[in-house]
Structures are given as structure tokens and as C-alpha cells.
Amino acid sequence: MANFRTSARTVDMLGRQQIAGIPTAINELFKNSYDAYAKTVVVDWLKDRNVLILRDDGVGMSLNDFSERWLTIGTDSKASGGRLAPPPIPQGFVRRPVMGEKGIGRLAIAALGPLALILTRQRPQQLTEENPAPVIAALVPWTLFSTPGVTLEDIDVPVLSVDGSVDRSVIEYLTGKVRTNLLRISHRLDDATVIAIRDQLEKLELIDPSILKRLPGPHITSRAGFGTTFIVTPVDDSLQGEVEGDSVNKGQASRLFKLLAGFSNTMATDAREPEMRTSFVVRTDDGVATNILDGDEFFDRSDFKRADHEFSGTFDEYGTFHGQVSIYRADPIDHVIPWKAGRGAPTQCGPFRIHFGYVHASPSQSSLTPQEHAEISRKLQKIAGLYVYKDGIRMLPYGQSDVDYLQIEERRSRNQGYYFFSYRRMFGAIELSSTLNPALQEKAGREGFRENIAYRQMRKILENFLVQLAADFFRASSQQGQEFQTKRDELERTEKVRRARARTTDGQRDNFRIQLQRVIGDFSEARPVSLVEKTIIRVERELASISDAAPDALEAALELEEAARRDLESVIRHYTVHKPVGVGLDRETSRDWNLYEQLRKELVSSVVPGAAVRISEMTAHRASRLAPMARLHERIREDFEESAARELDDWSRDLNKIRARSEQIADDVSGRVRSAVQRSSDFARALTRRLTDLPSSSTEDDLFDLRRQLLEELEEELHRQKESLEPIRRFLAGFESVSGGLGLDEQLEAVEEEVIALRAQVDTDLELTQLGRAVELINHEFSSSIKTVRRNLRALRPWGQRNEKLGSIERELATAFEHLDNYLTLFTPLQRRLYRKPANIRGAQVAQFISDLFGERFRRHSVDLQVSSEFEAFSFVGYPSTFYPVFVNLVDNAIFWLSDRPTPRIIRLSQRNGSLLVEDNGPGISLRDREAIFEHGFSRKPGGRGLGLKISRDVLQRSGWSLDVVPDGGLPWPDAAASLPVSGGRGVGACFSINPPSENEEHKLGEAE
């Protein structure tokens, strides 16, 4: 008798050598976790330590399960009719379809690294605060399984059942067993292999298992923990390249992201949540953690709202598609596409569903807004494609842009107009199930389906479907295709106009902004006033230099006055900026324009007229001594007549230009209307002749048919002529709007300014949303960690009392943590959920809160916080979570602007007429910025987001309160700041007032409550 002997390399060939790479190996382990009814799977790559940790919260394994299932190659526990029962279904779960049935998927872990520490703990049937099951620990030296000359019987996999926590002693026990095994079979190994394995064991022994408690996610070693954890080290060198991707192709997703993203179907036609969530977190020793499988980076159901075209439906058992099609986001229409190649016979692949969207590459052909198109295109560039899901779990490698299994790009390259679809502009899912599609079976290497008849049929059905979709909806030969091309041409024309306008308006807006900033800068430095004063001084000096005896003395004085008038007019012209007509302005430019209008109005209505009066008075006084009153009166009258005639001539020339242009337009309009009437009349006479020339042999049917045909032709011709006059009609309608005081340019400006503001708002809202999600996550994880620190510090105290060295460490830790804990309690008032009802807030409480929160910064920046007795005594009713953050924001801003100012640096909290004031003696707020500081995104801070004051004002307004800048407030600058530039021209700091609601507002709030 003879028996097969199994080489250890068999395991390597069935596992690592069958797997295409690290992403595929991790995907295989994800599937194992899914089969174990895990809800969460987290992979942590500790990059700086070269360690990979994979954790799940599945059912876990007992010692017997680990030996009989995990260590048994080709186990039948998942196969139907197997000797071993499948894993138990946890309470509250529904049965999951089995992803793996061959019993070799677990071997994929060998592709991650040469040494794997396995920790598993069985989930109890009833979840309790403490899991009685032990942790099973095992160590697999994969290098031995790839060594020639070694059989499976030669390799011992050490396994240990641990009732307590997993610490370094567990790892040292397992590594010791591997070293013993290594010594026993060392005569079969070469020296390089022995050295490599020993080096790997030493690196594993450096790992502190307590790190598992500090990582967010499943905790197998906690009191109630369960599931399975793999710790792999050293990690295969290729992992870094798989994670970071190709540095040459910026914007492209890494291979790891392409293969692991969308593990669960988030694009499913039904609205259920994924049964298991996956993460791959890259962690560095400096505390940076990046989840590269962030759910927002993959497609979900909401993305179909950002598709130009959407297709969804079902392929029945005969390969015929029944579903709905929406072109350019119009109402979906029912559509059927048969698979004629099937010849009416049932398919082996079985029925399945499809749902996908398509986005045009060119924004000019897309119905999406520029922002929507940019966002969805960014995703498409990384992860476009038709993904395949079986029972809601992704099948590799389908969906990758470089795996065009339906040959979409190959057909498009032959004839883009005929086949239409591009694989790189599609996203969606093909949904299969193990029940309806059992013949679609995976390859052993987990890289696609076996290419049997069922798979070939599915491909042919989908290829036929896409070709026929292109024929039915995107070719000019079909009715829907004509409608599509008409819509596409319309979008292209609109985009062309938009771009042309953008090129024009962007340039005008930029030039206008530059001119505006230059002029406002001159106003801030009082240059216009200086020019006017120079003119007055020059006139005064030159008038004084005129000799009384000169024969032309009066003429010289009057010429001086006229020259001064021209100089004053030139000052006004120089500081006159014309707002471009029909061009919308962003918020900052609009704000500058409003400020400019105020400054120019003062110049035109006050400064220049005042100067003109002074110059006239000086000239009159001087002229009274140069000529008699009669001569002076005559000369002034002549001068006025000349000026009036000159002004009227200029005015008349402008009017004549307008009249000539209007007459030219009227002649053109009349000519076009006459031409349209003439062509219509000629066409009608020609039709009449055709009716007259009807042969006498014609029947009554011929006569009525011809009449109907001629009337249709006449109607079409009249419609064409009407369309040709449509631009004139729109022009006249626009002229009527202008006459009524509402011009097209003004309407266009208003719309454009609203669009610019909304775009800025969207960017800000997105930042706030992302920030809120991050804070929510950090708060949750930090609260949990704080509880753990408190508990362990209490547990450490008895040991510290017995050991003096340990005691000193414990006391320092406790002191430091107490300081941190006290600091964290300062944020209790900021949590609205703790205050279901308004509370009585006293000014003294607010002042103490500010002092505690910013005490260290006050000391560091030498800032003196002053609190008036009126502020301390003041009290009001409100939510602390509403008011405390406002004071925090105002004081934080004040500290920032005071930090580089001369001392003394003062912040004062005071109360005046029921309003709470926050004042400082910093640089102050300029007139230009006084209202701008409350706008979204406006900030003078380097790198500032411009959100704090806007949010503070909005939050207060919801409670009926208000937040304003006090124009005449602020503390005077210290003497040492006298040489610094004055903000707003006053040399005082900023002052903000928090104002209570009026009686009417309080009444409204009371009614609302």
C-alpha cells in the first residue's frame, strides 16, 4: 500500500500563488469575514512599524473550530452536504449566502506577509458585558510552507487558549514553539531561510498586543469582545505601491482602492444598508490616520442623480431586458430589448438586474452643472465601470477601468458615434444572486468568473443590450436618437455662449476689481482730498500773484478759476470707476463697490463742491479789486453762456448718436418684417396656383388631399417666418422691460451674482459638513478612550502604592490626566444635548469660563482680561450651548489680533444698556470690513475659514439675539502703537456687542415656545 504525501508547498500554491496580489488577498479575507457574519472589518496598516492588522466582529472560533475548520485545508464546513456544520447564525442576523466553499480562501493571508499571528474568540449566543469564551492564539510561519523539501507533517502551528488578556508573553510562547519546530527541521532548510524566519520572529516579538485596545473598531481582547484578528509582519514590500498608486498618473485611484472599494453594493436598486462595512486605515506614528476606503469616495444611489442618462431594469431568463431609460434626466420611459441570439431558449446564466448611469465627458454636452460635472467626473476618473455584485458582495475584477470585460471601449474605438458608450464614463452595478445564477462560478484565484457557457451568455446579453441601447437612443436614425442629438446640440450651443460670456465677463470683472481696489486704496490714504486741497492752495497763491495794474488781470483771475474747475472735474473723473454692465459681482467686489459709492458720493457732493465754493469766493474777492462791478457782471455772463453752449452741444451730440442708431435699428426691423410678409405672400400665391392648376380629371379625394397638403405647407412656411422674427420680438420685449425700469442687464447681473454666491456657499457648506463628521467621529472615539484611561489609572493605583518607582509614574500620569480631564469639562456647556431647557446664565460664569479656557494663552501672549462689575452682575436666560461659543469665538479672535501688538494688550468684557460687549485694543476693524466679517468665507486671518462670526451671528439670531460691530467702540491703542497704520482711521481696537431681543422679538419667541 502507498499513500500520497503532501508537500508544504501545496499550501503556498493553493494560497499565495493563486492570489493576484495583496488587494485580492484582503478581498478574500473580507469575504471570509462576511461568511462569519461580521458587521465591520477594519484593516490597519501601521506604516512606520511595518505591521498589518485585520480585525472583524464575526462569530469567531473556538479551539476545536480553529483546528477542525481553519487548519483544515479544503474544509467542507461551507459546502452543502459537508461533514462539518456551517458557522452558526448569530441572533438577530438573517442567513447570508456563502462566499467561499473551497476552504482555501484563508490561505490568501500568506500574500500579506511571511508571519501571521491569529487571534480569534467565539461570539456567545447571548451578548453580555463579559464574554466567557477564551481567546485562541496561533502563529503561522508562512515561509516554511514555501520551502522545498518540507512536508505538512513537518510543520507545527502553535496554538494557545488564553483566558486572560493577550500580552507579550503569549507572543513569546508562540514564537518559542516556532523556534523549536525550526530547530527540529533545520537540517532540511538552508541557512538563509532559517535566518529569515528568526528575523521575522524577532520583529513580531517587538509588537505590543495592547495596541489592539487603542485602535478604533472591533476589540477582540475587550471583556465582551469577539471575532477574529490577524496581525501580519513584516508586511510584503508591494503594499506601499498598492496603497499609494502611480505617482505619474495623478487623480488615478491606487490598485488597492480600485479592488477593495465598494465591497458591499451601495448602488443596489433596493434601499437596504450594506450588511458589512469595510475600512483600510493607514496609520503613522505621528498620529495621522487615513481611511482610503472612505465611503464617500465610492458610488452610491445618490450619484445616479448626477448622471446625464440613467438605465435600470431586469434581464429575464431568456436574456430580454425590461426596464426604464431616462435621457438627459427626463422622465423615465419603459423600454424592452430582446436577445435574439438566445432564440427563445432559457439561458444558463439566469435572470439578473442592471442599474447604471452615464455622464458625458465634455461639460458642453452634459446636462449637469459645472460643479456637479466636476464632482462626478473626479469619481469616474478613479473608479468608473460596471461592477458585478453577487448577493450584494463585489466580484473581482469587474468594475476596474482597465478590465473592460464587455469590450465597450474596443467597440467605441471603431465608431464612436455608432456605439456611443465609453466604459470610462459609466458607473453602475450588475446584480446577481447565488440562487438565480448558480452557474456563474468564480475562478480558483478569485479573479473573475469561470468562462463557461453561463458567463459567455451573460457577456453576450450585456453587449447586445449596450449596442441596442446606442441604436435606440443615441443614433440619428431613431426617433429618440434625434431627440437626444437635438438636446445635445442645444446644450453645446448654451455652453458655447456661456464660455464666451465667461471669457468676457471674467476679464471685465477682474479689471473692474483692480480699478476698484486702486481707487479705494487712494481714498483710504486721503489722496483725492489732498489733490483738492492742492488745487485750492495753488489758486490762492496764483490769485495773490496777479498784479492789480495788469491790463488782463480780470481775465487771468477768471482763467485761474476755470482751470481750477477743470482740475476739480479731473479729480472726479480720475476717481470714477464705471461698473461693467450686465456683469455679476462676487460678494467682496460688491461690498467694495458699495463702499466706493459712499466715498465717491462724499467726494462729489461735499469735498469738490466745497472746494469750488472756496475757489469762487477767493476769485470773487480778488476780482472785485480788479474791475468794476458792471464789467465783472458782463464777463461772468459771457463765461456762463459759453459754458452752457458747450455743455448743450456735447449733450446734443450724444442724443443725435442715440437717435441715429435707433432709426437704423427701426429701418432694419421694418425691412425684415416686410421681407417676411413678402415671402409669406409669395408662398401663399404659389400654393394657390398649384390648386388652380389641378387637372380636371382629379377626383374629390385628390382635391381634398391637395387642399390639406397645401394648408400644411403654408402653416410650416408661416412658422418658419415667425421663427425668423423671434429675435426681434425678444428684443422688443427686452426694450419694454427696460422702459419699465427692469433691464435685461440688471436681471442678468442679479442672476449671475446669485450663482456666484451660491457656489461659494456650497464650498463652505461642504467644508462644514466634513468638519462636523470628523468632530463627531473624534468625539465618539475620544470619549471611549477617556473612560478606558480613567479605569486603568484606578486599577494602577494599588500597584503604585506597593512599588515606589511605579507609584511616582502613576502619580505623574494621574496629575497630567486630571489636568486634561478638567480642561475637557470646560466643553460641557457647549453640548446642547445636556441642556434641554434654557438656563440662567450669569456674566460672572461666562467670565470664569473664558478665564479657565484661555488662561494659558492669556499668559503666553501677555493679554490682560478685564471684566467690569456690570458684566459680572448681568444675567439672562438662554442655552449655554448658544452663548458660550460666541464668547469663545470673539475672545479667540481678539487674542489672535493682539498677539503681535505692543503691550499692554487688553480684552474687556463689559455691559451697556443690556448689551454685552467684548472689546480689545488691537488693530481694529476697517470701514471696508465692518459688514464683511459676518459673511461666509470672509477672513483676514492667514488660512482662516471665515466661518466663526457668521455662525455666531446666525446662532444668536435663532434665539432672537444679535451680534454687531460697535462703530465707535474699541479700546484706545497703547502709546507704543502710535506709529502703526491706523485701521479705519481711529487708532482704536474692535468692539462687538451681543444684543438681547427686543420686546417684539421676545413676544414672538414666547409664542414659538
Side-chain angles (χ1 to χ4, degrees):
M1 295 291 290
N3 295 316
F4 277 109
R5 294 190 67 204
T6 307
S7 168
R9 294 179 61 208
T10 305
V11 172
D12 191 55
M13 290 184 286
L14 290 174
R16 184 177 61 85
Q17 295 185 33
Q18 286 283 338
I19 298 299
I22 286 181
T24 307
I26 295 175
N27 181 271
E28 191 63 27
L29 295 172
F30 282 176
K31 288 183 178 180
N32 284 352
S33 296
Y34 177 85
D35 286 342
Y37 290 90
K39 283 186 175 181
T40 304
V41 185
V42 180
V43 179
D44 292 284
W45 178 31
L46 311 184
K47 186 176 179 181
D48 296 332
R49 307 185 191 188
N50 202 20
V51 176
L52 190 77
I53 302 174
L54 186 147
R55 298 167 291 144
D56 71 37
D57 56 0
V59 295
M61 291 176 280
S62 64
L63 181 60
N64 184 67
D65 287 335
F66 185 75
S67 300
E68 295 293 325
R69 299 177 190 272
W70 208 91
L71 290 180
T72 301
I73 299 172
T75 180
D76 55 8
S77 62
K78 296 180 183 179
S80 57
R83 178 178 62 85
L84 295 174
I89 303 175
Q91 187 176 14
F93 285 72
V94 297
R95 182 179 295 278
R96 291 181 179 178
V98 177
M99 291 291 108
E101 296 184 353
K102 300 178 179 64
I104 59 174
R106 74 209 63 166
L107 304 181
I109 198 171
L112 304 178
L115 206 60
L117 173 64
I118 305 164
L119 304 174
T120 184
R121 192 180 191 186
Q122 196 169 34
R123 175 189 173 119
Q125 285 299 316
Q126 296 287 339
L127 296 182
T128 58
E129 292 185 1
E130 186 165 357
N131 184 0
V135 175
I136 307 304
L139 183 59
V140 182
W142 294 113
T143 303
L144 288 177
F145 291 94
S146 62
T147 305
V150 178
T151 65
L152 288 179
E153 291 80 5
D154 293 328
I155 302 175
D156 294 329
V157 176
V159 182
L160 180 64
S161 179
V162 183
D163 290 328
S165 61
V166 177
D167 53 23
R168 290 183 186 274
S169 65
V170 174
I171 295 179
E172 291 170 356
Y173 171 83
L174 297 174
T175 55
K177 290 293 185 181
V178 173
R179 285 191 177 93
T180 301
N181 186 204
L182 187 65
L183 181 62
R184 181 171 55 83
I185 63 172
S186 59
H187 61 283
R188 298 189 183 184
L189 308 174
D190 58 70
D191 293 341
T193 301
V194 174
I195 293 173
I197 295 175
R198 287 175 176 168
D199 182 58
Q200 295 160 10
L201 294 172
E202 290 176 1
K203 290 179 179 178
L204 178 63
E205 289 171 339
L206 295 175
I207 297 175
D208 183 2
S210 65
I211 193 174
L212 297 176
K213 296 181 180 180
R214 299 195 295 272
L215 296 175
H219 292 120
I220 189 175
T221 56
S222 65
R223 292 176 58 198
F226 52 85
T228 301
T229 296
F230 298 97
I231 301 177
V232 180
T233 189
V235 184
D236 191 275
D237 294 338
S238 63
L239 178 60
Q240 182 165 345
E242 300 281 16
V243 170
E244 296 176 355
D246 188 356
S247 59
V248 176
N249 297 319
K250 298 295 183 182
Q252 293 288 331
S254 66
R255 186 169 180 271
L256 186 138
F257 180 83
K258 289 180 180 179
L259 287 172
L260 295 185
F263 177 81
S264 297
N265 188 5
T266 53
M267 299 178 284
T269 49
D270 55 2
R272 64 178 181 177
E273 289 295 317
E275 293 180 288
M276 188 178 83
R277 298 191 178 277
T278 58
S279 302
F280 189 106
V281 184
V282 181
R283 299 183 182 275
T284 57
D285 284 348
D286 56 4
V288 177
T290 306
N291 181 11
I292 63 176
L293 298 184
D294 185 354
D296 290 343
E297 293 297 314
F298 195 71
F299 297 108
D300 57 29
R301 288 183 296 275
S302 66
D303 285 312
F304 289 104
K305 297 177 182 178
R306 298 187 294 177
D308 286 312
H309 317 303
E310 185 177 0
F311 314 87
S312 63
T314 303
F315 295 92
D316 62 21
E317 64 270 27
Y318 301 102
T320 297
F321 171 80
H322 303 267
Q324 292 187 320
V325 175
S326 173
I327 303 300
Y328 277 127
R329 302 201 278 186
D331 292 338
I333 59 175
D334 294 330
H335 197 62
V336 176
I337 297 179
W339 185 46
K340 297 179 181 178
R343 299 179 180 179
T347 61
Q348 291 193 27
C349 63
F352 57 93
R353 292 187 58 83
I354 188 171
H355 188 192
F356 76 94
Y358 189 87
V359 180
H360 286 274
S362 172
S364 65
Q365 296 182 355
S366 176
S367 59
L368 306 177
T369 65
Q371 182 173 352
E372 288 176 331
H373 189 272
E375 289 175 354
I376 196 68
S377 294
R378 179 182 60 83
K379 280 191 175 183
L380 289 169
Q381 184 180 9
K382 296 174 66 175
I383 49 174
L386 272 177
Y387 292 76
V388 177
Y389 289 88
K390 191 173 184 180
D391 297 313
I393 301 301
R394 183 181 167 192
M395 311 302 294
L396 298 181
Y398 310 114
Q400 287 181 245
S401 57
D402 54 347
V403 182
D404 186 9
Y405 60 101
L406 298 178
Q407 298 180 314
I408 297 172
E409 291 297 335
E410 190 273 333
R411 286 194 299 274
R412 181 180 172 87
S413 66
R414 295 203 304 265
N415 191 327
Q416 176 178 336
Y418 189 84
Y419 292 107
F420 180 73
F421 289 106
S422 169
Y423 192 64
R424 294 179 177 87
R425 305 304 302 176
M426 304 168 68
F427 67 93
I430 297 166
E431 301 175 31
L432 310 172
S433 74
S434 54
T435 304
L436 297 175
N437 314 103
L440 292 171
Q441 301 171 351
E442 278 190 277
K443 296 178 182 177
R446 306 304 197 193
E447 283 290 309
F449 290 114
R450 292 170 51 198
E451 297 193 9
N452 53 20
I453 295 176
Y455 175 67
R456 288 196 291 270
Q457 282 182 341
M458 185 184 77
R459 281 185 53 192
K460 293 299 181 185
I461 289 171
L462 288 169
E463 289 173 6
N464 170 75
F465 167 67
L466 293 172
V467 171
Q468 195 58 46
L469 267 184
D472 292 346
F473 290 94
F474 302 108
R475 294 181 200 159
S477 56
S478 67
Q479 176 65 31
Q480 291 94 339
Q482 292 175 5
E483 294 175 2
F484 157 73
Q485 294 197 353
T486 300
K487 177 66 174 177
R488 185 191 62 186
D489 294 343
E490 178 185 341
L491 288 169
E492 287 183 332
R493 286 194 300 270
T494 302
E495 178 65 14
K496 185 177 180 180
V497 171
R498 188 194 68 79
R499 288 186 178 180
R501 173 173 170 76
R503 284 194 296 270
T504 302
T505 57
D506 287 351
Q508 291 177 330
R509 191 180 296 112
D510 290 342
N511 291 334
F512 175 65
R513 186 185 298 115
I514 292 171
Q515 293 179 44
L516 206 54
Q517 290 174 352
R518 173 186 61 81
V519 170
I520 291 176
D522 284 359
F523 271 112
S524 66
E525 296 177 6
R527 289 182 182 177
V529 175
S530 176
L531 290 174
V532 170
E533 289 293 337
K534 287 180 180 178
T535 301
I536 295 173
I537 294 171
R538 177 175 57 79
V539 171
E540 185 177 20
R541 185 178 63 250
E542 293 184 2
L543 282 174
S545 67
I546 297 175
S547 172
D548 293 349
D552 58 347
L554 178 60
E555 295 297 327
L558 294 177
E559 287 178 2
L560 272 177
E561 183 190 27
E562 177 64 20
R565 186 181 65 82
R566 290 194 298 268
D567 288 346
L568 292 177
E569 289 177 351
S570 69
V571 171
I572 293 176
R573 285 196 302 272
H574 182 72
Y575 289 104
T576 297
V577 179
H578 296 286
K579 182 181 178 183
V581 178
V583 177
L585 305 179
D586 56 67
R587 285 183 302 184
E588 183 175 0
T589 307
S590 180
R591 188 172 57 248
D592 287 347
W593 171 251
N594 292 333
L595 175 60
Y596 159 76
E597 286 187 312
Q598 297 175 20
L599 296 173
R600 185 181 182 277
K601 181 179 180 181
E602 183 180 358
L603 176 69
V604 172
S605 62
S606 178
V607 176
V608 170
V613 169
R614 289 182 59 188
I615 291 172
S616 294
E617 290 174 347
M618 288 188 298
T619 305
H621 179 72
R622 189 74 180 92
S624 65
R625 291 187 297 171
L626 298 176
M629 186 62 185
R631 171 63 182 147
L632 182 61
H633 184 273
E634 178 64 22
R635 184 66 187 85
I636 294 297
R637 184 184 62 77
E638 292 174 354
D639 183 67
F640 173 77
E641 289 177 350
E642 290 175 2
S643 298
R646 187 167 56 251
E647 294 287 344
L648 287 173
D649 286 344
D650 293 342
W651 175 245
S652 298
R653 278 195 296 271
D654 289 340
L655 290 181
N656 288 333
K657 290 178 182 178
I658 295 174
R659 184 176 64 247
R661 180 58 180 152
S662 64
E663 290 174 352
Q664 180 183 353
I665 293 174
D667 290 342
D668 184 49
V669 170
S670 299
R672 292 191 182 193
V673 172
R674 284 195 301 270
S675 176
V677 172
Q678 185 64 45
R679 284 195 295 268
S680 300
S681 300
D682 292 344
F683 190 81
R685 283 192 291 270
L687 294 180
T688 302
R689 285 195 297 271
R690 286 172 58 187
L691 186 61
T692 304
D693 296 341
L694 187 71
S696 57
S697 58
S698 301
T699 65
E700 292 85 351
D701 291 341
D702 294 338
L703 180 61
F704 279 91
D705 286 344
L706 180 59
R707 185 189 68 170
R708 178 184 52 77
Q709 179 183 347
L710 295 178
L711 287 173
E712 289 177 354
E713 292 181 18
L714 178 61
E715 186 178 350
E716 290 178 1
E717 176 63 19
L718 292 176
H719 180 72
R720 281 194 295 271
Q721 296 303 327
K722 181 181 178 181
E723 288 295 313
S724 70
L725 297 176
E726 183 64 21
I728 295 176
R729 187 191 66 78
R730 288 197 298 267
F731 169 78
L732 294 176
F735 179 76
E736 291 174 357
S737 297
V738 173
S739 302
L742 185 61
L744 291 176
D745 290 332
E746 286 80 1
Q747 298 177 47
L748 191 58
E749 286 177 23
V751 171
E752 195 166 45
E753 288 177 2
E754 184 177 4
V755 169
I756 293 172
L758 287 174
R759 286 176 179 169
Q761 182 72 45
V762 166
D763 292 340
T764 303
D765 289 348
L766 179 60
E767 288 184 3
L768 281 174
T769 301
Q770 293 172 334
L771 185 62
R773 290 178 58 196
V775 170
E776 183 180 5
L777 176 62
I778 292 170
N779 180 62
H780 177 269
E781 296 298 337
F782 196 69
S783 298
S784 176
S785 299
I786 286 296
K787 292 178 183 177
T788 303
V789 173
R790 287 195 186 103
R791 185 175 63 250
N792 286 304
L793 278 174
R794 286 195 296 267
L796 184 62
R797 188 163 299 143
W799 295 88
Q801 292 171 350
R802 297 187 182 96
N803 186 315
E804 180 57 32
K805 291 184 178 179
L806 184 61
S808 62
I809 296 174
E810 183 271 329
R811 285 189 294 274
E812 289 183 13
L813 282 174
T815 302
F817 178 75
E818 184 178 359
H819 174 74
L820 174 63
D821 203 22
N822 290 335
Y823 188 81
L824 291 174
T825 58
L826 291 173
F827 292 91
T828 300
L830 309 184
Q831 300 179 33
R832 178 133 194 178
R833 62 185 177 82
L834 298 180
Y835 294 90
R836 303 298 183 186
K837 296 181 180 180
N840 187 61
I841 302 173
R842 292 188 299 108
Q845 294 173 328
V846 175
Q848 186 62 48
F849 177 84
I850 294 298
S851 179
D852 291 342
L853 183 61
F854 292 106
E856 179 59 32
R857 287 182 65 190
F858 287 152
R859 287 188 291 274
R860 188 164 66 246
H861 295 292
S862 301
V863 174
D864 180 20
L865 177 66
Q866 299 178 357
V867 184
S868 71
S869 57
E870 292 83 2
F871 184 91
E872 290 183 329
F874 188 78
S875 66
F876 57 96
V877 176
Y879 290 100
S881 57
T882 295
F883 292 91
Y884 278 60
V886 175
F887 284 99
V888 168
N889 183 262
L890 295 176
V891 173
D892 177 70
N893 286 342
I895 295 173
F896 174 84
W897 292 112
L898 284 169
S899 60
D900 59 353
R901 303 286 292 181
T903 56
R905 305 180 184 122
I906 302 172
I907 297 175
R908 185 168 69 190
L909 305 180
S910 58
Q911 186 267 139
R912 183 191 308 159
N913 300 326
S915 295
L916 300 172
L917 305 182
V918 179
E919 302 174 273
D920 64 58
N921 64 341
I925 303 170
S926 68
L927 176 65
R928 180 184 181 189
D929 293 345
R930 195 163 291 165
E931 281 302 315
I933 58 175
F934 295 109
E935 292 182 359
H936 253 119
F938 179 86
S939 177
R940 294 295 182 193
K941 277 186 181 181
R945 291 178 175 270
L947 301 177
L949 290 174
K950 167 65 175 173
I951 293 173
S952 296
R953 174 180 266 193
D954 289 349
V955 168
L956 287 173
Q957 284 178 344
R958 283 197 286 270
S959 297
W961 290 61
S962 64
L963 176 64
D964 296 303
V965 174
V966 180
D968 57 347
L971 304 177
W973 284 7
D975 294 338
S979 61
L980 298 176
V982 177
S983 178
R986 296 182 301 114
V988 295
C991 178
F992 288 89
S993 65
I994 302 171
N995 312 303
S998 63
E999 292 184 4
N1000 291 336
E1001 288 293 334
E1002 286 184 342
H1003 181 68
K1004 291 178 183 178
L1005 288 171
E1007 289 181 344
E1009 292 175 358

